[in-house]
Structure formats: structure tokens, C-alpha cells
Amino acid sequence: MTDVPVRRERLKASWIFRPGVRSAVIQLLLVGLLVLVGWFIYRTTRQNIITQRIPIGFDFFWIESGFSISQTLIPFSESNTYARAFLVGLLNTLFVSALGVFLATVIGFLVGIGRLSHNWIIARLCGGYVEIIRNLPLLFQILFWYLAVLAALPVPRQSISLFGEVFINNRGILIPKPMFGECIGVVAALAVAGIALSLILATLARRHRIRTGAGMKTWPVALLFVLVAPLFAFFYLKVGVAVDHPVLKGFNFIGGMRVIPEFLALLIALSTYTAGFIAEIVRAGILAVPRGQTEAASALGLRRSSVLRLVVVPQALRVIVPPLTSQYLNLIKNSSLAVSIGYPDLVSVFAGTTLNNTGQAIEILGITMLVYLFISLVISFAMNMYNRRIALKER
Amino acid sequence: MKRSTVLFSLALTFASAGAANAATLDDIKARGSILCGVSGGLAGFAQPDDKGNWTGIDVDFCRALAAAVFNDPTKVKFLPLTAKDRFTALQSREVDLLSRNTTWTSSRDTQLGFNFAGVVYYDAQGFLVRKAAKVSSALELSNTTVCTQSGTTTQLNLADYFRSNNMKYEAVVFNTADEVIKAYESGRCDVFTTDVSQIYAERLKLSKPDDHMILPELISKEPLAPLVRHGDDQWFDIVKWTLFAMLNAEEYDVSQKTLEQRLKSERPDVKRLLGIEGNYGEQLGLTNDWVVRIVRHVGNYGEIFDRNVGEGSRLKIDRGLNKLWNKGGLQYAPPIR
Amino acid sequence: MSAAFVRMEPLPPQPAPFAATGMWGWLSRRLFATPGDIAMTIVGFAAFVLIVLPLFRFLVFDAVWTGKDREACVNAAGACWPFVAAKFNQFVYGFYPYEELWRPNLVFAAGMLLLVPLLIPSAPFKRLNAILFFGVYPIAGFVLLTGGNLDPQRFVLGRFIRISDYVDLDAWRGMRATFWIDFAASALLITLAVAIVARIFGTRISASLKAMAVIFLALAILIAPVDADFGLRWVETREWGGLLVTLVVAISGIVAALPIGILLALGRRSEMRLVRWASIAFIEFWRGVPLITVLFFATYMLPLFLPGGANIERLVRALIGVALFSGAYMAEVVRGGLQAVPRHQYESAAALGLGYWKTMGLIVLPQALTNVIPGIVNNFIGLFKDTTLVQIVAILDLLGQVRAAFSDPNWSSPTTLYTGFAFAGIIYFIFCFAMSRYSLFLERRAGTSALRVEGAMR
């Protein structure tokens, strides 16, 4: 046998086919493109700003605003600055969002559980609610509540009166405002401290139970902290309560607290709309807990309430929490629809009126978007933390 | 005529940056029409009917411009703009001029970079209330709810007025005039405030206009003027002198009816106005018969006022301050010579 | 002791007791099981009656069906349908010129004809149908609705040489020779350049030539119909309105969102760090802000970013904003699909020697996209509802037109407002409900939904 000379052809691949080189080139190109686009936008914007004489910078924040706002959580008048107007708008956004999240969660859980009820009519009603609410645009619902429902209420002179204390008319709902004496701060501080102490106590008790298996009753102590101590202070310090009643005088009611219809319409629409989505999430979450879990828990001799609290809910929450987070975020972002009915939220006050009066679109819209982005990030972060805590811990 | 759109070339390749700012008049001539920013639906000033035909004093002013430039009042496109984005539209060259009941203020003239071309309508801010409220003066409006529009001078005037008179009020602010009048009608507010001319127009939208009255107090000066961008003096001159020409035409009794007869007039000022003597039109970059075109196609100031907001219209607003200077009003145009 | 009796066979089954069968059984189980249940049933029934009966009375029995103006409805207790009839054109087309209405009608009809077979899984000619719907239909629709006959001005070469100095004439049906010479020359030059680069790096020249030919041919097919003059009148987008705008915004939003979303999703799963970071930043930014601010951004800030004199029509600006926004959401939907494709699919593709784009285009994306069709439909429902927001930047969609019609004094009556809301609500509900049912149907068909879990559980 003779050696067959094997001519090994050297496969010569060009260096550009090396994955490392390739990815470096592509990333460089991407960065280059982004820089180019950024530079192009910067240049044209600068040129436009100069030719259109648009003022730039953040000095406008310290100018007197000169307008008034219909709902303010902190005192605000025409002589306050745009910066304060921004704050008022932001607080209004957070206020309606917080209440909306709370209400939406409550309604959503009720409807979601209701859909699984074996009572036929309740299940159907909840199903109908979910279908109708989810298939109509939110803006439609906001306008409906505002223009068709709340605007149809009587004028102040013919207000619907409840017990002569609460008045409902097309300018909103008026309720008596409690006016506390000067030492109310002490009472409030005690109550807050009491809540904090009870929470700490509960955590400690829980740790104790996990370590030793022995349960501890904490609620009597908690009750003492939260209720009894502040109440004692309330009477001991003679804080006293006066009530500021709403009274019709001239065109409008004076005194009391007023909930403006813009706020009501937005709150109702936001919470019922989001509740429709939460209901579906809750239903899916509960259905995702296998029946075997419930049966096993019953077999262990747990009570029905304990089965729900200790077995079903923790597992359902695992499925519920991630999509619930995005619903909360949606609700907060959707609160910006306030601008369509004149509720003074961040978009309406800042990206609306302030933008109009100053004309500084870039700064104002930039800030507005960043604020929402920041809120979104904070909430997703918090909910992720929570989610990690309740997530399945596999060994 | 091909339509050029920047979007299209943007989509094809990355656009060439910084197109030169061409003269507005050249743009208009190349395009074959004037782009006129108007109000979205304000009776008497700019309102489209069901078929999209526009009427109103602001609209007629733009038609007069088209008549002067093209000898054809239809060569104008109307772009309805909200109070909020009218300035952006003018700045970003979306329109050639704003003829949109806009108040002439110093900051708009300087800071925003516009030129106001004379006052088309001397207006003032007023209050509309229900007759049933039995109010006879704005000073009785303490503790009321007031509906107003965002992005206008009215919102700021309102705050000034109530603050200086130490009266409390609640302002409910909406984006469009329609929303404001709707909220007022539904009873959300006791008072509706805006420029008086606009109150007259909006009142027509109420189901029972006669149940409402305008209070005597006028709380601001609102000279409504057409405006153009800074930096194009020729176009500014044309817009400005179109208005003056219409005023002068009324002053010299040149109207659609009397035009043919006045063309034969021997009066030197009339001859100058109608371009029979001198070349004032060409100095503007137009033709010498520009005023004849304006009057023939659109009419003089008195005619468009009467037709759109005055006695000949549904609004029936008194001419008041808008009478010519020699009839006791404020409308006074510099001479053409 | 032994058992006296041992039964050898089971007893025959007895019928269920009367209380558990038939209608009575159903009633007692599902409505009247416990006292609490009875109370809930009564409350639920009362709520149903209190909502549905007045609604029916308003919409049908008490409604006014004929009339010419507000006089017909002044004293009505029910819906004022003549109001809707009078404003119907405005609700559907906005201020689209009356004599040109056949154009949107044709677009609507063609859309229905192409969409319905596309949605039915068993209908034949899927590929042709998809090409017609996603490729031909948008261009034809654009030309029909706007009138086409746009001037493409300059291509690449034309930016350096004024070709119009040498040639300037209509080639055919309003297409300018200047541009097409520019286009052909630029295409040749770029192809040549690419071939040279390919030669230097030692890749196959024929492949790059083929790729360039496909790209330029596609561009030409895209540009030519828009450039050509079909004798249609130009209808500016500001004359559009109503349902037309709603559909245009929603459909072009989703069509534009799909490629954006796919690219972003691929970017987010890329192994290249910078690409991944850029995609994440882009996605999270648009998902973190409300659509209104995006529309404000598109209306007020976008013009500042473009060279002076560049004015893009309002509707187009809003469309850009909507596309960016829904693109980011679409990216997350597609990412879900990509994650669901098993790892061995990637590995098999690599074993076959496929490169990145071939792996993605031929193996991964087809599977991923099929999986997420219900998600895409759900995204579309959301977008369809969100379209209503364009009225805040003064573009009148269906809801905007209805709202604008409320202030027409010719039709002001006590029930006008409610009638308008009823009409708009019914339209929105029909669209969204049908789509959500369709998405449910797809999910069931794919058998990957929560519903299957539900079924197994019961």
C-alpha cells in the first residue's frame, strides 16, 4: 500500500466571519447610528429653537403661574410659581391613582371571585360586567361618567340632600368637614406610631411561630396601640371636634369638603375599568391552583378559612401578582386621561396649561414623561420585591 | 401638480438637514395656495358648514390674501387649530399665517417670535351668566364657578380680575371651546368667560340662547390680529397691507357694489388705492390691481364685518370699537401712497 | 357463623333524587342553594332588571326613529336615532369630501374581503391572501384614501447632483423621469459598491447582488404606485375623521408595530450587550409613559426634531407616536413567543449550519409568531380602544366626532348626548367583542390558554 498523499485544503474563512469581530462591528455600527441620529436631532432642534425663538432652560419654574386650579391637595393660588403648580398636578395624579388602585383591587377581586361563584346569576352578572367594561374604550367610559351621568345631576339649588348634611349636585359631592382642635397632631402621631408598632409586633410573632411552632395572639396589644392609646390622648388632651357644614350661599355651597365631579368621574371610570381586567387575572389565578391542594389541605384538617388563607391564596397570588403589577401601572398611566375632562392632574396642569403659557415643549414634556417613567419604575421595583417574597422557594 | 411631502423623502433616505428657509411668498406661489390657520369652529370667525365650506371674518381675511396673491379667493386652505397648538403650527411652518382670533400681546410678539399685522377685531373679555341668576354686575360673581379654556389669555385675565377684586372663585378649565360651553350649559359652571365676540358665537350653541346674558363689565383688551412668523418681512408686509387695504377701501367707499364705479373715480387717493396711479402693489411683490382683486372677490372691511358678525349675520354684534376712526371707532389704516 | 346472605352483584343505580335533577335541580344548585345564595340571587336579578329593562326601553321602545331636526326629539324619552342618521357620514368619514366617499368605502370593502378569509384558519390561499393584505392592501389603501401622486423628490444620487438640470419630464402617469433615473443610477452604484466590498471580504458576490436586487425592487414597487398619478383628487388627512380615522390609526399602528416589535424583541434577546441595552431602554421608555404624553410628544416635539420646513401632517405625526408606542408593547408580546420556542429548535438550526437571520427567519420566528397571534390580537384590541386618545390632540376619531356633534344646536335635545354615547358604545363594543372572541377562539384552537387549564380543573 502506498501512502495516498492527502492534500488538506486549508479552509480559509475571512476574519469578518469570526463571531467576536462581527458582534463588535455590529455594536459599533449601532452606537454610531444612535450617535448620528442623536446628533442630527440635536442639531435640527437647536436650529429650530433659534429660528422659532423658543426660550430654553428651566427658569420658567420660578415664574408666577397666574392661574388657579380647581382641586389642590396643598394650598395653591395664582401668585404661586409653576413649580408649585407642577407639584399640585403631581399630587393630584398620585391621589387619584392611589384611590383608583385601591378601589380597582377591591372591585376586581369581588368580581373575579364572583365569576367563579356557583350562583348562576352572580357568575353571569360578573361575566357581563367584565365583557362590557373591557370592550369599551376607557376614554369613552370617562366621558360617559362625566358628561352623561355626573353632569345630569341637579344644580346646587336643587341638590340631592342626604340627612341635610351631605349634598350631591352637578358641582360634586359636599360632605361635612371635621375640624379638630390644635392637639390633633399628637393623636395622629400616636396612631401612626401604634400602627408601626403593631406591624413590628406581628412580624416578631410570625418569626416566633415559624421558629417554635407556637402561635401568639397579638391583636389585643395591637388594638391597644392603634386605637386605645390615641383615643385616650384624644379625650385627655381635650382635642374636641367641630364640624364645618356645607351651606348653600349664593351660587355655591360654602364650607365642608367638596369632591369635584371631574375627580369622581375619573376615579369611577379608572377603578371600574381596571377592575374588569383585575377580575380576569384573579379568576385565572384562582383556577390555576390545583384542586388537589385544597383537598390535601382539608385532609390535613385545616379549617375552610385556613385553607383559603394558608393554601389557596398564597399560591394564587403567585400567578396574580405579576399581571396585577402591570394593571396598576396601566391605571396610573391612564389617569393622564384626566386632561379630557379637566381634572387637574400632572398632564392637564403641567403638560397642558403650563406648556401653553410658557411654550417650552421640550422641557415640559420631557419632565412629564420622566415623572411617569420614574413612577412606573418605582412601582415595578416594589412589586418585583413583593413578588420575589411570595415566589415559590424551591429547595 | 405633484405634491411634495417631506415625510416621503424622510422615509426613503435620511433627510438632508436644515432646508433653507425660503421666502413664504415663494412657497405659497409654488404651492398654489395659502395655508391659513383658523379656529376650529367659531361662528362668525371661522366655521365649516356640513359640506366643509368655511365662513367667518378670519376666513374672509385669508380669502382676501388669496385674492391679492392669486386673484382667486379659493386658493386658500384652512387648517383648524386649537388654542393650544396654534403657535406651534405657525412656528413649525405648518401654516403661512394664523388668522385665528388671536390676541396681540407683547410676549407673543417678541418672545414667541411673531409679527402681528394690525387689528382685525377690537375685542374684550366678558362674562356670560344665566338670566335666572339675577346678577347685574361682574362684581357680584364672588364664590362662583367659572368655565374657561386652557391656553388662552382669558384664563389669566380671569385670575387677575378676581384676585384684584378680592373675590373667590373656582376655575374649571377645558381644552376646547366646545367643551367649555357644554360644561356651562350642563350647569357645571355659573359663569362662562371668554372674548365677547366669542361669547356671542358660543351662545348660539346653547339650546335657549335668550336665557343667558352678557355682563356689562369688560375685563381686558383683546385686540385680535392675524400674525406671521418673524423673519419674512415681505410676507408680513403683504398680510399687514391687505388688512389696511380693506380698511382704506371702506373709508373711500370702495365696496363690491361700488367698485366698478369707483374705478372711474378721479380722486387721487382712490386712484392710488385701486392701482390706477402709482405702483404700490408691485412694491409689495403683488400686482398693482391687488386692492381691486380683494374688493371684487371678498369685499372691504365693513362688508366682511357685516356679513360675518354684524347686522347681516346671526351674531348681530354691534360694530362698536370696530367702526372706522372717522365714525367714532378705532379702525384706522395708514394711507397707501 | 356464616353470612346468611352475600350480594354478588351491585345494586342497580337509582335515579338521582328529584331535588338534584332537571330544571328544579339546576335551580336549587345554581340559584337557591343556601339562604345567602337566595339573597344574592334576588339582588343579582334585581340589578339585571334595573339595568337591562331601562336600557331596552331607551334604545328601542321609547326611541324616536324618524325626524329631520331637534324638533323630533325635544320631548323624547328614548334615543334620538334621527340624530345618528343625520350625522352618520360624519361619524364614519369625518369631513371626507362627499363626492369622494366611494374611496373609503372601497377601502373598507376590500379590507373586509381580504381580512375575513385571512381570519378563517381553514380558508385556502393563505399565503397569497397574506401578501395581498399586508403588502398590496396598505399601499392601495394609502393611494385611494389620500389620492397618491406624491413627489418623491430625490433619491440618493439626487442629493449630490441636480439631475433635474438634465432631465425633467413626466415619464408615465405623472411619474417624473428625474427621480427614476436618479433611482436607477443610485441603485446601480450602491449595488456596485456592495459587490466591491463583498469581493474584498471574500464573501459570495452573487448572494449580495441578489440581496440588493430584492431590496431595490421592493423599494421601487413601494414607491411607484404612490408616485403615479391615477387622477384621484388629493384628500388631506385633516379632512378625515370618524371611524375611518379610528381604523386607519389602529390598523397602521399594528402593522407598523409588528416589524418594530420583532426587531426590538430580537434585540432584547441578543447576546450583544449594547444591542440588548438599547432595546431594553427603548422598550421600557415607551412602556413606562402614558400614550397621551406620547401623542403630545408627537404633536409638539416631533416638529422640532425635523429640519425647518418639514411639516408632517398631524395625523401622520400621531401615527408615528402610536407606532413607537405599540411597537414597544408588541416587542414584549413577541418576546413571550420567542421564549416559548424550545431551546432544541435553536440548537437544531445551528446544527444544520444556519446563520442567525436564517435561524430566526426560518425556524424561530414562524413558531414564535404563530404562538403569539392571540397576544397580537389582544394588543390590537388595546390599540383600537386607545385610538380614542387622538381626539386629545385634535384629531377627530369616532368618539371625537360623536362628541363634537353634541354641540350642534340643530340637534340639541335632552337625549342627544345619550344617543351619541349609545351609538359609539355599540360600535366600539361590536368591534372589540368580536376581536376578543376571535382571540379566544385562536387560543382554544392552539390549546395553550388558561382556558384549557380551567377545563381540566372542572
Side-chain angles (χ1 to χ4, degrees):
Chain A
M1 275 198 41
T2 53
D3 276 0
V4 180
V6 179
R7 236 186 95 225
R8 279 180 190 273
E9 200 173 352
R10 266 184 63 214
L11 282 167
K12 188 169 149 253
S14 167
W15 53 271
I16 62 153
F17 288 116
R18 271 180 232 155
V21 177
R22 250 196 192 189
S23 94
V25 168
I26 292 175
Q27 297 191 50
L28 265 179
L29 279 178
L30 178 81
V31 171
L33 189 72
L34 287 180
V35 168
L36 201 71
V37 170
W39 178 79
F40 171 79
I41 288 177
Y42 170 76
R43 218 190 61 165
T44 46
T45 309
R46 220 182 66 126
Q47 198 182 358
N48 283 328
I49 282 176
I50 292 169
T51 51
Q52 298 177 18
R53 295 192 177 209
I54 299 170
I56 45 171
F58 296 94
D59 294 342
F60 72 90
F61 261 123
W62 315 114
I63 301 174
E64 190 182 289
S65 63
F67 58 84
S68 75
I69 299 176
S70 57
Q71 177 194 302
T72 59
L73 296 178
I74 51 172
F76 181 82
S77 78
E78 294 86 350
S79 52
N80 286 125
T81 57
Y82 283 122
R84 200 172 173 88
F86 167 78
L87 201 61
V88 168
L90 179 60
L91 286 175
N92 280 342
T93 291
L94 293 177
F95 183 52
V96 78
S97 305
L99 275 177
V101 162
F102 174 72
L103 281 179
T105 311
V106 172
I107 304 173
F109 269 79
L110 287 179
V111 175
I113 295 168
R115 271 198 92 172
L116 296 172
S117 160
H118 51 231
N119 186 316
W120 184 81
I121 200 158
I122 295 290
R124 286 292 132 149
L125 269 181
C126 293
Y129 171 87
V130 169
E131 286 298 347
I132 288 175
I133 287 282
R134 286 179 5 135
N135 285 320
L136 288 174
L138 175 59
L139 186 59
F140 173 91
Q141 298 185 32
I142 292 178
L143 291 177
F144 178 79
W145 284 106
Y146 187 62
L147 295 175
V149 179
L150 295 179
L153 290 171
V155 294
R157 272 171 209 292
Q158 291 143 18
S159 298
I160 303 166
S161 157
L162 303 177
F163 320 113
E165 288 289 349
V166 176
F167 298 93
I168 301 172
N169 57 46
N170 63 6
R171 309 258 167 95
I173 297 176
L174 288 122
I175 45 177
K177 186 161 93 182
M179 310 274 281
F180 296 105
E182 46 207 34
C183 289
I184 186 67
V186 178
V187 178
L190 268 177
V192 169
I195 291 172
L197 274 176
S198 330
L199 284 179
I200 293 171
L201 197 69
T203 320
L204 286 179
R206 191 159 163 266
R207 282 208 190 132
H208 180 76
R209 197 193 67 221
I210 289 171
R211 213 174 41 246
T212 64
M216 276 203 314
K217 277 211 171 80
T218 58
W219 65 264
V221 192
L223 195 72
L224 187 77
F225 281 148
V226 178
L227 225 59
V228 180
L231 272 180
F232 177 74
F234 185 81
F235 290 110
Y236 183 75
L237 294 171
K238 297 198 179 67
V239 177
V241 187
V243 180
D244 182 17
H245 300 275
V247 185
L248 184 67
K249 195 174 156 197
F251 288 95
N252 278 324
F253 280 87
I254 292 184
M257 275 196 295
R258 195 161 66 90
V259 187
I260 58 173
E262 290 80 19
F263 173 79
L264 272 180
L266 189 65
L267 181 66
I268 297 174
L270 275 180
S271 47
T272 51
Y273 182 77
T274 313
F277 290 85
I278 292 181
E280 280 298 90
I281 293 170
V282 169
R283 186 174 75 114
I286 293 174
L287 285 174
V289 180
R291 172 161 288 178
Q293 294 285 322
T294 325
E295 286 163 355
S298 315
L300 283 176
L302 291 181
R303 265 174 294 148
R304 200 176 146 65
S305 64
S306 303
V307 171
L308 267 181
R309 194 165 56 86
L310 298 173
V311 177
V312 177
V313 170
Q315 296 191 66
L317 273 185
R318 250 176 238 147
V319 182
I320 290 174
V321 167
L324 196 63
T325 310
S326 59
Q327 286 309 322
Y328 288 168
L329 293 178
N330 281 348
L331 188 143
I332 295 170
K333 285 185 280 174
N334 283 335
S335 72
S336 59
L337 289 179
V339 69
S340 63
I341 54 169
Y343 172 72
D345 79 324
L346 179 65
V347 170
S348 173
V349 169
F350 194 60
T353 311
T354 307
L355 173 57
N356 278 325
N357 291 350
T358 61
Q360 292 182 250
I362 296 180
E363 294 88 339
I364 288 177
L365 284 176
I367 290 174
T368 312
M369 288 171 117
L370 283 180
V371 166
Y372 279 103
L373 201 59
F374 181 73
I375 297 175
S376 297
L377 289 180
V378 167
I379 294 199
S380 357
F381 182 72
M383 292 297 274
N384 276 344
M385 293 269 285
Y386 179 66
N387 194 28
R388 211 166 294 148
R389 245 190 62 192
I390 62 169
L392 193 63
K393 290 191 183 70
E394 288 182 86
R395 270 181 273 267
Chain B
M1 178 75 201
K2 296 286 277 188
R3 284 169 291 263
S4 62
T5 66
V6 175
L7 175 75
F8 208 66
S9 57
L10 258 180
L12 290 179
T13 57
F14 222 61
S16 60
N21 284 350
T24 313
L25 186 61
D26 295 342
D27 279 357
I28 290 170
K29 283 184 173 159
R31 194 190 304 129
S33 66
I34 296 173
L35 290 177
C36 173
V38 293
S39 164
L42 180 60
F45 284 80
Q47 196 177 36
D49 63 11
D50 286 346
K51 294 184 191 74
N53 300 318
W54 289 82
T55 52
I57 201 167
D58 285 342
V59 164
D60 276 349
F61 180 72
C62 285
R63 292 218 174 96
L65 271 172
V69 175
F70 296 112
N71 197 18
D72 182 353
T74 62
K75 289 198 169 167
V76 54
K77 291 232 170 73
F78 298 105
L79 190 66
L81 297 168
T82 62
K84 202 169 166 172
D85 46 39
R86 53 185 159 174
F87 299 125
T88 322
L90 182 59
Q91 279 164 339
S92 60
R93 307 177 76 86
E94 209 174 321
V95 291
D96 298 319
L97 80 153
L98 272 187
S99 177
R100 195 207 169 279
N101 56 312
T102 302
T103 305
W104 185 351
T105 67
S106 66
S107 64
R108 286 171 179 175
D109 205 332
T110 55
Q111 189 201 13
L112 292 182
F114 298 130
N115 279 328
F116 285 82
V119 179
V120 165
Y121 189 101
Y122 286 98
D123 209 341
Q125 185 173 340
F127 296 109
L128 183 73
V129 294
R130 288 179 187 75
K131 280 182 183 160
K134 304 223 180 339
V135 178
S136 56
S137 156
L139 292 170
E140 297 166 32
L141 293 179
S142 191
N143 190 29
T144 49
T145 307
V146 186
C147 278
T148 179
Q149 195 182 348
S150 141
T152 56
T153 48
T154 49
Q155 196 187 353
L156 304 176
N157 293 333
L158 172 74
D160 285 353
Y161 182 78
F162 276 79
R163 188 151 50 132
S164 56
N165 287 307
N166 270 325
M167 300 193 298
K168 277 174 67 178
Y169 74 108
E170 179 203 14
V172 186
V173 182
F174 296 93
N175 253 334
T176 65
D178 261 4
E179 291 167 48
V180 184
I181 193 71
K182 207 71 205 162
Y184 169 75
E185 188 175 24
S186 76
R188 176 70 182 88
C189 303
D190 305 301
V191 186
F192 168 54
T193 180
T194 186
D195 298 349
V196 172
S197 63
Q198 201 173 339
I199 294 183
Y200 273 101
E202 297 292 342
R203 192 164 70 161
L204 294 178
K205 290 184 187 161
L206 299 174
S207 48
K208 287 176 188 155
D210 295 334
D211 289 357
H212 306 265
M213 59 178 272
I214 296 171
L215 294 178
E217 281 86 354
L218 301 176
I219 64 167
S220 69
K221 293 184 285 188
E222 307 283 342
L224 306 182
L227 55 154
V228 297
R229 285 179 294 273
H230 267 179
D232 188 346
D233 289 343
Q234 186 198 17
W235 177 237
F236 178 40
D237 286 341
I238 291 173
V239 176
K240 182 164 58 181
W241 282 94
T242 299
L243 175 61
F244 292 155
M246 293 167 87
L247 286 167
N248 279 324
E250 188 188 4
E251 188 174 338
Y252 299 139
D253 192 25
V254 179
S255 67
Q256 280 180 314
K257 266 192 217 122
T258 61
L259 179 66
E260 297 308 320
Q261 168 213 336
R262 298 299 276 174
L263 274 170
K264 295 177 203 116
S265 165
E266 286 305 314
R267 277 180 60 176
D269 42 10
V270 175
K271 283 181 128 174
R272 280 197 296 274
L273 178 71
L274 298 180
I276 296 159
E277 245 171 41
N279 59 342
Y280 304 104
E282 280 170 8
Q283 287 167 4
L284 274 172
L286 302 171
T287 54
N288 279 336
D289 66 340
W290 62 296
V291 183
V292 179
R293 291 174 170 191
I294 294 172
V295 174
R296 178 174 294 141
H297 293 300
V298 184
N300 67 29
Y301 180 80
E303 286 174 295
I304 68 166
F305 189 100
D306 186 63
R307 178 164 75 219
N308 292 307
V309 294
E311 285 307 313
S313 72
R314 284 165 72 205
L315 272 68
K316 307 218 184 309
I317 303 178
D318 185 56
R319 224 111 158 222
L321 292 176
N322 292 298
K323 287 184 188 131
L324 288 183
W325 60 283
N326 52 9
K327 304 236 174 78
L330 290 176
Q331 289 290 9
Y332 181 106
I336 289 176
R337 70 180 310 143
Chain C
M1 225 175 96
S2 63
F5 172 76
V6 175
R7 181 178 269 285
M8 296 306 286
E9 71 279 352
L11 272 171
Q14 298 223 337
F18 174 68
T21 54
M23 204 180 79
W24 177 249
W26 185 86
L27 280 177
S28 67
R29 246 182 312 119
R30 302 297 300 272
L31 290 179
F32 306 108
T34 61
D37 230 17
I38 294 172
M40 281 211 288
T41 302
I42 291 169
V43 171
F45 188 72
F48 179 77
V49 169
L50 283 180
I51 294 168
V52 171
L53 278 192
L55 199 67
F56 253 90
R57 280 187 55 181
F58 177 82
L59 292 179
V60 184
F61 301 120
D62 290 350
V64 178
W65 294 91
T66 53
K68 272 215 264 317
D69 57 4
R70 63 187 290 258
E71 294 305 321
C73 302
V74 166
N75 297 316
C80 179
W81 294 119
F83 161 71
V84 173
K87 298 274 175 190
F88 188 77
N89 271 355
Q90 271 182 35
F91 291 168
V92 179
Y93 311 101
F95 291 104
Y96 207 93
Y98 186 76
E99 58 278 13
E100 305 284 336
L101 284 189
W102 62 272
R103 282 155 54 176
N105 283 337
L106 188 60
V107 172
F108 285 152
M112 288 294 283
L113 273 181
L114 288 174
L115 190 62
V116 169
L118 197 63
L119 294 183
I120 300 171
S122 58
F125 307 120
K126 267 282 164 322
R127 177 182 280 262
L128 176 71
N129 199 337
I131 291 174
L132 282 178
F133 186 74
F134 290 106
V136 179
Y137 181 66
I139 301 176
F142 175 82
V143 171
L144 266 174
L145 287 178
T146 60
N149 197 13
L150 293 175
D151 185 358
Q153 294 168 337
R154 293 168 295 176
F155 201 59
V156 181
L157 200 62
R159 297 188 181 277
F160 304 103
I161 308 166
R162 283 181 67 93
I163 301 173
S164 55
D165 290 352
Y166 310 103
V167 207
D168 189 16
L169 43 96
D170 270 9
W172 178 73
R173 282 199 173 269
M175 294 199 252
R176 279 232 317 272
T178 319
F179 174 79
W180 289 102
I181 290 171
D182 176 7
F183 183 86
S186 309
L188 267 179
L189 279 177
I190 293 170
T191 311
L192 204 65
V194 169
I196 290 171
V197 172
R199 178 81 201 87
I200 292 171
F201 287 120
T203 45
R204 294 222 328 271
I205 295 179
S206 62
S208 53
L209 285 182
K210 213 170 122 188
M212 294 317 285
V214 168
I215 291 174
F216 282 111
L217 203 66
L219 264 181
I221 292 174
L222 188 74
I223 299 170
V226 181
D227 181 16
D229 182 0
F230 294 99
L232 292 173
R233 196 181 124 193
W234 178 250
V235 181
E236 281 167 84
T237 52
R238 71 178 75 102
E239 293 175 86
W240 305 10
L243 191 60
L244 177 65
V245 160
T246 301
L247 289 173
V248 163
V249 173
I251 291 177
S252 40
I254 207 78
V255 167
L258 207 54
I260 298 176
I262 290 175
L263 281 182
L264 285 173
L266 290 178
R268 191 163 186 168
R269 284 174 60 79
S270 164
E271 278 162 16
M272 292 178 261
R273 213 168 279 160
L274 289 176
V275 174
R276 194 167 62 234
W277 287 348
S279 309
I280 291 177
F282 189 89
I283 294 172
E284 292 306 324
F285 177 78
W286 294 110
R287 275 162 46 92
V289 298
L291 180 55
I292 288 197
T293 58
V294 176
L295 289 173
F296 276 2
F297 162 85
T299 323
Y300 300 115
M301 263 162 92
L302 211 56
L304 290 175
F305 290 170
L306 298 173
N311 73 69
I312 301 180
E313 285 186 30
R314 179 176 290 272
L315 183 68
V316 181
R317 269 185 277 170
L319 279 179
I320 294 174
V322 168
L324 291 174
F325 185 78
S326 55
Y329 279 83
M330 187 61 86
E332 289 301 273
V333 174
V334 175
R335 185 165 72 116
L338 288 177
Q339 277 169 347
V341 175
R343 211 179 151 67
H344 59 75
Q345 294 286 333
Y346 292 86
E347 286 160 358
S348 326
L352 286 175
L354 297 182
Y356 178 80
W357 291 109
K358 279 193 174 154
T359 307
M360 289 301 163
L362 297 175
I363 310 289
V364 177
L365 277 176
Q367 300 183 51
L369 289 180
T370 330
N371 278 341
V372 296
I373 287 177
I376 295 174
V377 175
N378 284 339
N379 221 357
F380 182 69
I381 298 174
L383 186 61
F384 185 82
K385 288 189 291 177
D386 281 347
T387 312
T388 47
L389 267 63
V390 296
Q391 61 172 284
I392 293 170
V393 290
I395 299 167
L396 293 186
D397 68 325
L398 173 60
L399 186 58
Q401 289 285 1
V402 170
R403 203 180 171 192
F406 291 158
S407 61
D408 183 349
N410 291 332
W411 283 102
S412 78
S413 79
T415 59
T416 306
L417 185 99
Y418 300 96
T419 312
F421 271 116
F423 175 74
I426 290 170
I427 298 275
Y428 279 114
F429 185 80
I430 290 174
F431 271 91
C432 296
F433 186 73
M435 285 188 286
S436 70
R437 285 291 124 154
Y438 179 67
S439 131
L440 222 57
F441 157 74
L442 285 180
E443 277 176 29
R444 277 209 190 112
R445 206 164 154 271
T448 55
S449 73
L451 274 157
R452 202 179 58 148
V453 180
E454 178 188 357
M457 222 45 66
R458 277 199 175 146

